[in-house]
Amino acid sequence: DQVQKQSSIALGKMDLIKSVSATGTIGSSQSRTVSAEVNGVKVKKVCVKAGDMVQKGDTLVQFDESDLKRALSEAEQSLSDTRDEAERNLSSARKLLSEAKESYGEGKEEAATKVAETKKELQSAKKQVTKLNDQISEEKDVEAKKRLQEQLARAEEAAKQAESAYEAAKESRKNEEKQNKNSVENAENAVKTAQSNNKKSIREAEKQVEDASSTLEKCAVTAPISGIVTAVGIEEGELYNGSDMIQIDDDSSYVISTTVDEYDISKVKEGQRVAVLTEATGEDEIQGEIRFVAPTTGSSSLTGASSQSAGGTGMSSTASSTSSGYEVKIDVKTEDERLRMGLTAKCSIILEEVQDVYAE
């Protein structure tokens, strides 16, 4: 009989991993550019330089505030002057109103007295006419009657004049009352106008103080986050024009920006584990986790490692990738003091993973 030979294969346990490779750049998890809402103000001191560590609230830049403080002082003085003038204007208008009311009361009283006097004189004149008519009727003597008729003629003329004076007094009272009422109304309107104008002028002066104070407050340029200063785009002595001045990156945590091509992107999901290698960390594997996958090419995450570019200052984000494909953001989970922003990261996105299986 022929003896059959048997062969054996040594099997060992190992981990089987299916992954997608990508190369990206390490950047900060949060990056902020700093600017101020002032223009034409001289930079007195730049308190930081690239590489400095800052805490949230630290002063970054100091401006020459002398002109702004002078503007605030002038605005405050203008407000004080405006309030004083407003008080004088209102006081004057109220005084004229008081005088108009007093004049109205006095004029009304005098007119009423005049009417009463002329009425009394008219009544007296009419009584005299009636009395003379009665005497003439009873008088028998021709000469005496003639004299009484002469007196009657004078009495009737006096009564006629008294009646004219009475009517004139009433008309005068009516006209004067109307005039005095108009004077009072005009004075009241003057008070209201003064109050309105005062309110407007004081409000405008207060607005100037608020604006000057606000501008001064905006000169306090402080760090919005804690982190490392990665760029400074302003120098002492220059006039600030409103551009971005300083960039701060939060180096307490990192995000890797990379891209995945269209052949593999359908396999990549948020939450997948990522194994990362860098030149700085050698063979030590850094752990990561996918936090964002762009829905289309050209789209990107609105939060995370991307930072604003400061126009004209030379400050730009180091976290964005220039490769074509779908953008992917990876949170770095391993803390390692050797990591730095700008490092190239070789990423293995774990699609499937089986541990401790037998294989050749």
Side-chain angles (χ1 to χ4, degrees):
D1 294 335
Q2 186 178 359
V3 178
Q4 294 182 343
K5 293 183 178 180
Q6 294 181 344
S7 61
S8 62
I9 300 174
L11 298 177
K13 285 189 176 183
M14 63 179 62
D15 297 337
L16 296 181
I17 296 175
K18 184 178 180 181
S19 65
V20 170
S21 296
T23 300
T25 305
I26 294 180
S28 65
S29 60
Q30 184 178 192
S31 182
R32 296 284 292 276
T33 51
V34 180
S35 61
E37 298 179 35
V38 294
N39 275 288
V41 182
K42 186 177 181 180
V43 178
K44 184 177 181 181
K45 183 179 180 181
V46 180
C47 304
V48 295
K49 62 183 182 299
D52 286 351
M53 298 298 298
V54 295
Q55 297 298 315
K56 182 178 180 180
D58 285 354
T59 298
L60 303 178
V61 175
Q62 292 177 353
F63 289 106
D64 184 352
E65 301 176 352
S66 56
D67 290 342
L68 298 177
K69 287 180 177 178
R70 183 163 51 252
L72 175 58
S73 178
E74 290 173 354
E76 289 173 338
Q77 183 59 51
S78 177
L79 173 58
S80 177
D81 293 343
T82 299
R83 283 175 172 162
D84 290 343
E85 183 179 1
E87 183 60 31
R88 287 194 298 269
N89 291 339
L90 183 57
S91 177
S92 177
R94 284 174 171 166
K95 182 179 179 182
L96 291 176
L97 174 59
S98 177
E99 290 174 353
K101 287 182 176 180
E102 184 178 352
S103 177
Y104 173 68
E106 291 176 352
K108 188 174 183 180
E109 186 177 346
E110 290 176 2
T113 300
K114 186 66 175 177
V115 168
E117 290 175 350
T118 54
K119 183 178 181 181
K120 185 177 180 181
E121 290 174 358
L122 174 59
Q123 291 173 341
S124 177
K126 285 182 176 180
K127 286 182 179 180
Q128 182 64 19
V129 170
T130 301
K131 179 181 177 181
L132 289 171
N133 278 323
D134 292 342
Q135 288 178 349
I136 290 172
S137 299
E138 296 174 358
E139 185 60 54
K140 303 298 183 180
D141 184 71
V142 175
E143 290 297 327
K145 183 176 286 192
K146 183 178 180 181
R147 288 193 298 270
L148 288 172
Q149 286 174 341
E150 291 174 355
Q151 292 177 13
L152 176 61
R154 291 194 295 271
E156 286 175 341
E157 181 62 26
K160 185 177 180 181
Q161 292 177 356
E163 186 169 7
S164 296
Y166 174 59
E167 293 299 329
K170 289 195 295 182
E171 184 66 20
S172 177
R173 179 179 65 178
K174 180 179 178 181
N175 293 336
E176 189 170 346
E177 183 171 356
K178 182 178 180 181
Q179 183 177 351
N180 287 337
K181 274 187 177 180
N182 288 337
S183 296
V184 171
E185 289 176 0
N186 290 338
E188 288 175 338
N189 290 334
V191 170
K192 292 178 182 178
T193 300
Q195 290 172 328
S196 177
N197 290 341
N198 290 351
K199 186 176 181 180
K200 181 179 179 181
S201 59
I202 289 174
R203 185 167 59 244
E204 290 174 350
E206 287 175 339
K207 181 64 165 56
Q208 290 178 350
V209 171
E210 290 172 4
D211 290 345
S213 178
S214 176
T215 301
L216 195 57
E217 288 176 1
K218 289 173 182 175
C219 286
V221 182
T222 58
I225 60 172
S226 297
I228 185 171
V229 176
T230 53
V232 176
I234 195 170
E235 296 180 356
E236 293 179 6
E238 70 176 74
L239 287 179
Y240 179 62
N241 62 5
S243 61
D244 291 328
M245 296 182 289
I246 291 171
Q247 181 169 308
I248 300 173
D249 289 278
D250 178 6
D251 63 343
S252 62
S253 60
Y254 297 103
V255 170
I256 300 170
S257 293
T258 186
T259 55
V260 175
D261 63 35
E262 59 188 63
Y263 303 104
D264 294 318
I265 194 62
S266 62
K267 308 169 190 174
V268 177
K269 310 293 182 185
E270 291 182 16
Q272 286 175 328
R273 187 173 74 84
V274 181
V276 181
L277 293 176
T278 71
E279 292 291 340
T281 53
E283 297 299 319
D284 294 335
E285 189 176 275
I286 304 299
Q287 296 301 314
E289 182 180 300
I290 293 179
R291 54 139 358 136
F292 170 78
V293 179
T296 62
T297 57
S299 66
S300 62
S301 171
L302 297 178
T303 60
S306 63
S307 64
Q308 300 175 355
S309 176
T313 65
M315 294 188 291
S316 61
S317 170
T318 60
S320 61
S321 172
T322 58
S323 303
S324 61
Y326 291 79
E327 183 184 24
V328 174
K329 300 283 188 181
I330 302 168
D331 282 330
V332 177
K333 297 296 186 178
T334 302
E335 293 185 8
D336 194 313
E337 62 182 12
R338 293 171 294 176
L339 292 177
R340 295 288 186 276
M341 289 177 289
L343 285 175
T344 298
K346 296 178 181 180
C347 307
S348 295
I349 302 172
I350 310 303
L351 305 180
E352 296 180 22
E353 184 176 15
V354 180
Q355 297 179 340
D356 293 332
V357 296
Y358 287 103
E360 294 183 22

